[in-house]
Amino acid sequence: MALVPGDLAPDFTLDSVMDGKVESISLFSMKGKYVVLVFYPVGFGYVTPTEFYSLEPHLETFSTINCELVAISTEHISSQIKYQATPRAEAGLNFMKIRLASDPTGDVAKKYGVYKQEENICFSSNFIIDPEGKIITMEKCDFPVGCSMGEQLKLVQAAQVIVVGDKAHRG
């Protein structure tokens, strides 16, 4: 059954890397925060680096609005460590402050309906999850089209606005 906005996001536990440090993370551990899950096919491809580069100027803002970003692919953690440390001139992330999570068997991608089994990769996809763990928005793109990463900040900010009567309030 396909996920739709309003569904409870499937929990997961994956190895991840940020700032060169490997640690296990789960969706449950981020409860109480907004979460943007970014599924990406491969690190050193043609589209993925540009998606991350367009997101980079917004990373600090995400943390100030109580939002975690987690980028998930089927690549092994050793490849993600290399991708995060590789200079931008070589299509790497140059230690960008984004958490990369490894889903080598595609189990998490399958739960979210973004797994391409023939190639053992994820479709380029984004899910925004609210602090209670419900999916607010989702975007899924076929290859080689990438997702609009810059829009994710606007969508999280829009989700945080609560309308009471005729006035909007930040949630």
Side-chain angles (χ1 to χ4, degrees):
M1 188 176 223
L3 293 172
V4 297
D7 283 351
L8 195 59
D11 192 20
F12 59 83
T13 300
L14 295 172
D15 286 336
S16 72
V17 61
M18 186 161 171
D19 297 327
K21 181 182 175 192
V22 176
E23 64 183 349
S24 183
I25 60 152
S26 68
L27 183 60
F28 182 79
S29 71
M30 294 177 268
K31 194 166 185 170
K33 295 182 176 191
Y34 284 84
V35 178
V36 177
L37 295 182
V38 177
F39 289 89
Y40 67 100
V42 294
F44 292 101
Y46 293 106
V47 177
T48 302
T50 59
E51 288 178 307
F52 283 119
Y53 301 156
S54 70
L55 185 60
E56 186 174 26
H58 307 291
L59 291 177
E60 188 174 318
T61 305
F62 276 104
S63 66
T64 64
I65 62 169
N66 194 35
C67 183
E68 295 284 335
L69 283 107
V70 179
I72 301 171
S73 81
T74 55
E75 295 184 309
H76 289 272
I77 197 73
S78 58
S79 176
Q80 291 179 326
I81 292 167
K82 182 178 179 183
Y83 183 45
Q84 199 170 60
T86 299
R88 191 172 177 154
E90 298 172 30
L93 297 182
N94 200 40
F95 294 104
M96 186 183 297
K97 301 288 186 192
I98 188 164
R99 181 170 302 285
L100 303 180
S102 176
D103 180 23
T105 59
D107 289 339
V108 175
K110 290 171 193 169
K111 288 180 184 180
Y112 282 83
V114 299
Y115 184 67
K116 188 170 185 181
Q117 186 170 346
E118 303 81 30
E119 298 176 46
N120 188 41
I121 58 176
C122 303
F123 285 99
S124 186
S125 313
N126 296 317
F127 290 80
I128 298 177
I129 301 165
D130 75 10
E132 287 78 42
K134 290 185 180 176
I135 297 170
I136 299 171
T137 69
M138 49 203 291
E139 177 182 22
K140 178 179 173 182
C141 299
D142 199 1
F143 307 110
V145 177
C147 290
S148 174
M149 302 302 285
E151 281 297 304
Q152 300 311 304
L153 176 60
K154 291 177 188 175
L155 290 170
V156 172
Q157 290 171 323
Q160 291 179 339
V161 175
I162 301 169
V163 178
V164 179
D166 61 351
K167 296 185 182 188
H169 303 275
R170 285 268 165 216

